[in-house]
PDB file of all heavy atoms in Angstrom:
ATOM      1  N   ASP B   8      13.831  12.934  -8.652  1.00  0.00           N
ATOM      2  CA  ASP B   8      13.657  11.677  -7.931  1.00  0.00           C
ATOM      3  C   ASP B   8      13.810  11.896  -6.430  1.00  0.00           C
ATOM      4  O   ASP B   8      13.522  11.004  -5.636  1.00  0.00           O
ATOM      5  CB  ASP B   8      14.679  10.652  -8.412  1.00  0.00           C
ATOM      6  CG  ASP B   8      14.465  10.344  -9.874  1.00  0.00           C
ATOM      7  OD1 ASP B   8      13.300  10.320 -10.304  1.00  0.00           O
ATOM      8  OD2 ASP B   8      15.465  10.160 -10.593  1.00  0.00           O
ATOM      9  N   LYS B   9      14.312  13.078  -6.071  1.00  0.00           N
ATOM     10  CA  LYS B   9      14.451  13.449  -4.657  1.00  0.00           C
ATOM     11  C   LYS B   9      14.228  14.944  -4.573  1.00  0.00           C
ATOM     12  O   LYS B   9      14.566  15.672  -5.500  1.00  0.00           O
ATOM     13  CB  LYS B   9      15.871  13.125  -4.140  1.00  0.00           C
ATOM     14  CG  LYS B   9      16.073  11.670  -3.788  1.00  0.00           C
ATOM     15  CD  LYS B   9      16.527  11.537  -2.356  1.00  0.00           C
ATOM     16  CE  LYS B   9      16.245  10.131  -1.869  1.00  0.00           C
ATOM     17  NZ  LYS B   9      16.815   9.790  -0.613  1.00  0.00           N
ATOM     18  N   ARG B  10      13.680  15.374  -3.485  1.00  0.00           N
ATOM     19  CA  ARG B  10      13.434  16.801  -3.323  1.00  0.00           C
ATOM     20  C   ARG B  10      13.637  17.175  -1.869  1.00  0.00           C
ATOM     21  O   ARG B  10      13.325  16.403  -0.970  1.00  0.00           O
ATOM     22  CB  ARG B  10      11.994  17.109  -3.713  1.00  0.00           C
ATOM     23  CG  ARG B  10      11.856  17.900  -4.984  1.00  0.00           C
ATOM     24  CD  ARG B  10      10.417  18.254  -5.212  1.00  0.00           C
ATOM     25  NE  ARG B  10      10.282  19.673  -5.505  1.00  0.00           N
ATOM     26  CZ  ARG B  10      10.401  20.179  -6.728  1.00  0.00           C
ATOM     27  NH1 ARG B  10      10.658  19.390  -7.760  1.00  0.00           N
ATOM     28  NH2 ARG B  10      10.261  21.473  -6.926  1.00  0.00           N
ATOM     29  N   THR B  11      14.151  18.371  -1.656  1.00  0.00           N
ATOM     30  CA  THR B  11      14.292  18.858  -0.287  1.00  0.00           C
ATOM     31  C   THR B  11      12.990  19.507   0.136  1.00  0.00           C
ATOM     32  O   THR B  11      12.451  20.349  -0.569  1.00  0.00           O
ATOM     33  CB  THR B  11      15.456  19.870  -0.186  1.00  0.00           C
ATOM     34  OG1 THR B  11      16.633  19.243  -0.676  1.00  0.00           O
ATOM     35  CG2 THR B  11      15.663  20.307   1.258  1.00  0.00           C
ATOM     36  N   VAL B  12      12.493  19.061   1.270  1.00  0.00           N
ATOM     37  CA  VAL B  12      11.234  19.583   1.789  1.00  0.00           C
ATOM     38  C   VAL B  12      11.510  20.263   3.118  1.00  0.00           C
ATOM     39  O   VAL B  12      12.182  19.709   3.988  1.00  0.00           O
ATOM     40  CB  VAL B  12      10.219  18.432   2.006  1.00  0.00           C
ATOM     41  CG1 VAL B  12       8.969  18.931   2.705  1.00  0.00           C
ATOM     42  CG2 VAL B  12       9.868  17.806   0.669  1.00  0.00           C
ATOM     43  N   SER B  13      10.989  21.471   3.240  1.00  0.00           N
ATOM     44  CA  SER B  13      11.113  22.191   4.505  1.00  0.00           C
ATOM     45  C   SER B  13       9.711  22.590   4.926  1.00  0.00           C
ATOM     46  O   SER B  13       9.020  23.296   4.205  1.00  0.00           O
ATOM     47  CB  SER B  13      12.004  23.420   4.298  1.00  0.00           C
ATOM     48  OG  SER B  13      12.301  23.990   5.546  1.00  0.00           O
ATOM     49  N   VAL B  14       9.293  22.101   6.085  1.00  0.00           N
ATOM     50  CA  VAL B  14       7.902  22.279   6.484  1.00  0.00           C
ATOM     51  C   VAL B  14       7.823  22.559   7.984  1.00  0.00           C
ATOM     52  O   VAL B  14       8.619  22.022   8.765  1.00  0.00           O
ATOM     53  CB  VAL B  14       7.075  21.015   6.083  1.00  0.00           C
ATOM     54  CG1 VAL B  14       7.714  19.740   6.611  1.00  0.00           C
ATOM     55  CG2 VAL B  14       5.623  21.115   6.520  1.00  0.00           C
ATOM     56  N   THR B  15       6.902  23.431   8.374  1.00  0.00           N
ATOM     57  CA  THR B  15       6.724  23.759   9.786  1.00  0.00           C
ATOM     58  C   THR B  15       5.653  22.851  10.373  1.00  0.00           C
ATOM     59  O   THR B  15       4.512  22.861   9.917  1.00  0.00           O
ATOM     60  CB  THR B  15       6.302  25.235   9.956  1.00  0.00           C
ATOM     61  OG1 THR B  15       7.261  26.048   9.288  1.00  0.00           O
ATOM     62  CG2 THR B  15       6.240  25.623  11.426  1.00  0.00           C
ATOM     63  N   ILE B  16       6.047  22.041  11.359  1.00  0.00           N
ATOM     64  CA  ILE B  16       5.099  21.116  11.982  1.00  0.00           C
ATOM     65  C   ILE B  16       5.042  21.402  13.478  1.00  0.00           C
ATOM     66  O   ILE B  16       6.078  21.351  14.155  1.00  0.00           O
ATOM     67  CB  ILE B  16       5.508  19.644  11.736  1.00  0.00           C
ATOM     68  CG1 ILE B  16       5.722  19.398  10.244  1.00  0.00           C
ATOM     69  CG2 ILE B  16       4.444  18.695  12.293  1.00  0.00           C
ATOM     70  CD1 ILE B  16       6.371  18.066   9.918  1.00  0.00           C
ATOM     71  N   ASN B  17       3.865  21.713  13.966  1.00  0.00           N
ATOM     72  CA  ASN B  17       3.657  22.039  15.386  1.00  0.00           C
ATOM     73  C   ASN B  17       4.660  23.100  15.865  1.00  0.00           C
ATOM     74  O   ASN B  17       5.166  23.032  16.987  1.00  0.00           O
ATOM     75  CB  ASN B  17       3.769  20.778  16.264  1.00  0.00           C
ATOM     76  CG  ASN B  17       2.838  19.673  15.791  1.00  0.00           C
ATOM     77  OD1 ASN B  17       1.769  19.949  15.247  1.00  0.00           O
ATOM     78  ND2 ASN B  17       3.243  18.431  15.982  1.00  0.00           N
ATOM     79  N   GLY B  18       4.970  24.041  14.985  1.00  0.00           N
ATOM     80  CA  GLY B  18       5.855  25.140  15.364  1.00  0.00           C
ATOM     81  C   GLY B  18       7.341  24.892  15.145  1.00  0.00           C
ATOM     82  O   GLY B  18       8.153  25.791  15.331  1.00  0.00           O
ATOM     83  N   HIS B  19       7.716  23.675  14.762  1.00  0.00           N
ATOM     84  CA  HIS B  19       9.131  23.377  14.505  1.00  0.00           C
ATOM     85  C   HIS B  19       9.343  23.173  13.014  1.00  0.00           C
ATOM     86  O   HIS B  19       8.491  22.620  12.336  1.00  0.00           O
ATOM     87  CB  HIS B  19       9.575  22.102  15.233  1.00  0.00           C
ATOM     88  CG  HIS B  19       9.385  22.175  16.714  1.00  0.00           C
ATOM     89  ND1 HIS B  19      10.239  22.843  17.549  1.00  0.00           N
ATOM     90  CD2 HIS B  19       8.397  21.672  17.505  1.00  0.00           C
ATOM     91  CE1 HIS B  19       9.801  22.759  18.791  1.00  0.00           C
ATOM     92  NE2 HIS B  19       8.680  22.054  18.792  1.00  0.00           N
TER      93      HIS B  19
END
Side-chain angles (χ1 to χ4, degrees):
Chain B
D8 297 324
K9 280 237 160 170
R10 249 185 131 86
T11 304
V12 173
S13 189
V14 53
T15 306
I16 307 169
N17 306 329
H19 302 281

